Amino acid sequence: MRALAAWLLVAPCALASLVLLAAPSASVLAPASAHDSAAAAADPSAAAAAAVAGEDSSAGVGEATLRGYGPPPAPGAPADRADQPYTIDFRYHDYDQLTKFLRTTSTRFPHLTALYSIGKSVQGRDLWVLVVSSSPYEHMIGKPDVKYVANMHGNEAVGRELMLHLIHYLVTSYNTDTYVRWLLDNTRIHVLPSMNPDGYEVAREGQCDGGQGRYNARGFDLNRNFPDYFKQNNKRGQPETDAVKEWISKIQFVLSGGLHGGALVASYPFDNTPNSMFQSYSSAPSLTPDDDVFRHLALTYASNHPVMARGAACRSGAPAFAHGITNGAAWYPLTGGMQDFNYVWYGCMEVTLELSCCKFPPASDLPKFWEENRMALVKFLGEAHRGVSGFVTDDGGNPVARAALKVKGRDVGFQTTKYGEFWRILLPGVYKLEVYADGFLPKEVDFMVVEQHPTLLNVTLHPAKVGVDGVGGGDAGGGAGRVSPAAGGGGRGRGRVRPRPPPPWFAPEAAAAAAAPGTERGEGRGRLLAAAAAAGGERGEMEPAWPYAFETEAPGGAVWGAGAGAVSEAVAPAAAADGCARPRDASRPLASLLASVLGPLVLASSRAL
């Protein structure tokens, strides 16, 4: 192993050939036992106080701002304790209070968080997203992006509050919890606490059922407003869903959780089925090609939730769920759901998490919900590191962007990023990866996934040779991955990465989005390296800049991504600490990026052995 580590450090270009390399053991990267012990601590405020004490006090936030996030206390009410400036109460926060908490967090923890808006609701409220990561302003080469989306139905309020507590827990535990530190050093977590802020404002605490606040301000159910793979969805697109669709097209998310209420279960795709004529309970399951993975993801959440795992019905007459999980269509089919859209259009594996039998329970129940869900919320995100990941390069070690990939036998594909990166969550087993790219010969690669650690698989594509008749290179463009049978004369012409094309009745915008998932990483506009593929870009054009403006500057007022990605020296210590590749030149050969990413990992493995 030491010889292998030395070889990787002195000859990184060798990684441009086909390599099957085990990444560091999960026991090295993710010591779960430490997280379990920290999570069981009786007083998490101690960790919060320690973390706050270590932060730069020059953030420019007033003491009153740091002490609270709601309106000023009523006359005679006790003031917050001065030694606990960064807290989050167990109560419901309206839009202004939520915004204030997110802004305060991004200012107080600038090295761990960055706040941006992906758009506005019908009534003009921002759809805030907070990035929580040791690299909040910049994509980490070779490391996945994940997300949580809550409060899609405005009257399902528990998930909204749990997202605020999750943010607080992650930033205050970074220096004390080894699992949280590993997770933030190796993952970018995007949290959208409220997708439907307008609906929330008219919902009422204590209403367990009913539809008040469920819909957006125009009366649309946002979880019936996405393009659907099985059936035509003629519902007019809404600002909230349009913003989320564009967001998903800009960043290649690997894993996602959608937080809901009204039941206690983890539901996985498909939500719809080609056979159902109307919504009904106890329908037949509609299984994806990745059903084993989705069941595992749902079980990961449910098994870490002490109540959900029992699978008991919420009330008399309501369905019970074995082990706390269900296939969405088997529960009841729906058209236009968000989790099917994530999976079919962009290869992001999303699970719907129903967190409470009562949609808007009393605030006094929030501490219980947090304790039940804290471990599950954190452990679920770690599953993004299961399976296979790697890079696709050409003969010169340069990344191949927008290469279309598919695991053989699993007919929902995915793409590489601008840096040639890819990720796929898989359970232990032996697989074959099919890779196609415009101008290259198609390739098939065998690989193995094991339980103990993720598998790193690097693939080199060779140029298609031009034949006598001038035919060659094939046509491997777009997210749908159509490959010409004449690809280079030697290609196998495997057909589609997604073998079933979008139905012809799709709107042109939806068809374009399906044809070209935006997975490129943008050049930046002097701020950061981040996702910036053209929405629905049939021509594969790059947007000139990251489309979302951050609320706060990078630490020290750093200017990100000058030109092709120069990074301010203000973040150099953080880059050295976590071993993440933060390239100065996004266009340099991938071999040097691989060396900077894999070198520390291989050394860690050799020390462990």
Side-chain angles (χ1 to χ4, degrees), residues 193-249:
S194 182
M195 183 180 166
N196 186 3
D198 296 350
Y200 176 84
E201 294 300 315
V202 300
R204 292 293 175 262
E205 180 179 346
Q207 292 186 350
C208 291
D209 301 301
Q212 183 177 351
R214 175 183 177 90
Y215 310 104
N216 77 344
R218 292 176 180 163
F220 282 80
D221 188 328
L222 300 182
N223 204 32
R224 308 294 189 273
N225 198 239
F226 286 86
D228 194 275
Y229 183 74
F230 294 99
K231 294 180 175 66
Q232 182 174 359
N233 189 0
N234 293 320
K235 295 182 175 65
R236 179 162 57 100
Q238 297 301 297
E240 297 89 349
T241 48
D242 289 345
V244 169
K245 286 186 290 184
E246 185 175 5
W247 181 41
I248 298 170
S249 78

Side-chain angles (χ1 to χ4, degrees), residues 38 45 58 93 102 114 119 151 203 227 234 243 267 316 331 397 402 417 420 453 510 579:
S45 63
S58 62
H93 296 76
L102 296 177
N151 201 213
N234 293 320
S267 173
S316 177
W331 184 10
R402 301 177 78 86
T417 68
H453 49 68

Side-chain angles (χ1 to χ4, degrees), residues 95 179 284 342 461 532:
Y95 172 76
Y179 186 91
N342 271 269
L461 296 182

Side-chain angles (χ1 to χ4, degrees), residues 45-65:
S45 63
V52 169
E55 289 293 330
D56 183 5
S57 61
S58 62
V61 180
E63 181 178 322
T65 301

Side-chain angles (χ1 to χ4, degrees), residues 487-513:
R492 299 188 181 184
R494 287 278 176 179
R496 301 175 182 275
V497 169
R498 291 195 183 101
R500 297 172 291 185
W505 36 256
F506 266 103
E509 296 83 358

Side-chain angles (χ1 to χ4, degrees), residues 43-263:
D43 184 14
S45 63
V52 169
E55 289 293 330
D56 183 5
S57 61
S58 62
V61 180
E63 181 178 322
T65 301
L66 291 175
R67 281 206 303 262
Y69 305 101
D80 292 334
R81 290 173 55 187
D83 61 342
Q84 293 182 344
Y86 179 71
T87 59
I88 178 69
D89 298 332
F90 284 108
R91 61 182 177 85
Y92 291 107
H93 296 76
D94 64 19
Y95 172 76
D96 291 336
Q97 295 161 352
L98 179 146
T99 299
K100 188 174 184 180
F101 171 77
L102 296 177
R103 284 176 169 161
T104 299
T105 301
S106 65
T107 304
R108 198 77 182 100
F109 297 89
H111 289 84
L112 291 177
T113 61
L115 181 64
Y116 64 98
S117 171
I118 61 171
K120 291 184 181 294
S121 67
V122 171
Q123 296 179 345
R125 295 181 174 91
D126 278 295
L127 304 179
W128 294 119
V129 175
L130 191 76
V131 185
V132 186
S133 171
S134 62
S135 180
Y137 287 88
E138 180 185 13
H139 171 64
M140 298 187 287
I141 301 296
K143 299 182 180 182
D145 288 85
V146 300
K147 62 182 169 74
Y148 275 130
V149 178
N151 201 213
M152 185 182 202
H153 293 141
N155 63 336
E156 298 171 10
V158 171
R160 173 185 171 115
E161 292 304 315
L162 293 190
M163 290 299 93
L164 303 186
H165 285 274
L166 176 65
I167 289 167
H168 179 272
Y169 177 72
L170 292 175
V171 299
T172 59
S173 300
Y174 180 76
N175 291 323
T176 58
D177 189 311
T178 53
Y179 186 91
V180 169
R181 188 179 188 90
W182 168 82
L183 187 64
L184 269 58
D185 283 349
N186 292 278
T187 323
R188 295 185 78 226
I189 303 167
H190 301 247
V191 180
L192 172 56
S194 182
M195 183 180 166
N196 186 3
D198 296 350
Y200 176 84
E201 294 300 315
V202 300
R204 292 293 175 262
E205 180 179 346
Q207 292 186 350
C208 291
D209 301 301
Q212 183 177 351
R214 175 183 177 90
Y215 310 104
N216 77 344
R218 292 176 180 163
F220 282 80
D221 188 328
L222 300 182
N223 204 32
R224 308 294 189 273
N225 198 239
F226 286 86
D228 194 275
Y229 183 74
F230 294 99
K231 294 180 175 66
Q232 182 174 359
N233 189 0
N234 293 320
K235 295 182 175 65
R236 179 162 57 100
Q238 297 301 297
E240 297 89 349
T241 48
D242 289 345
V244 169
K245 286 186 290 184
E246 185 175 5
W247 181 41
I248 298 170
S249 78
K250 303 300 184 188
I251 303 174
Q252 184 166 315
F253 291 109
V254 178
L255 179 65
S256 177
L259 279 59
H260 288 255

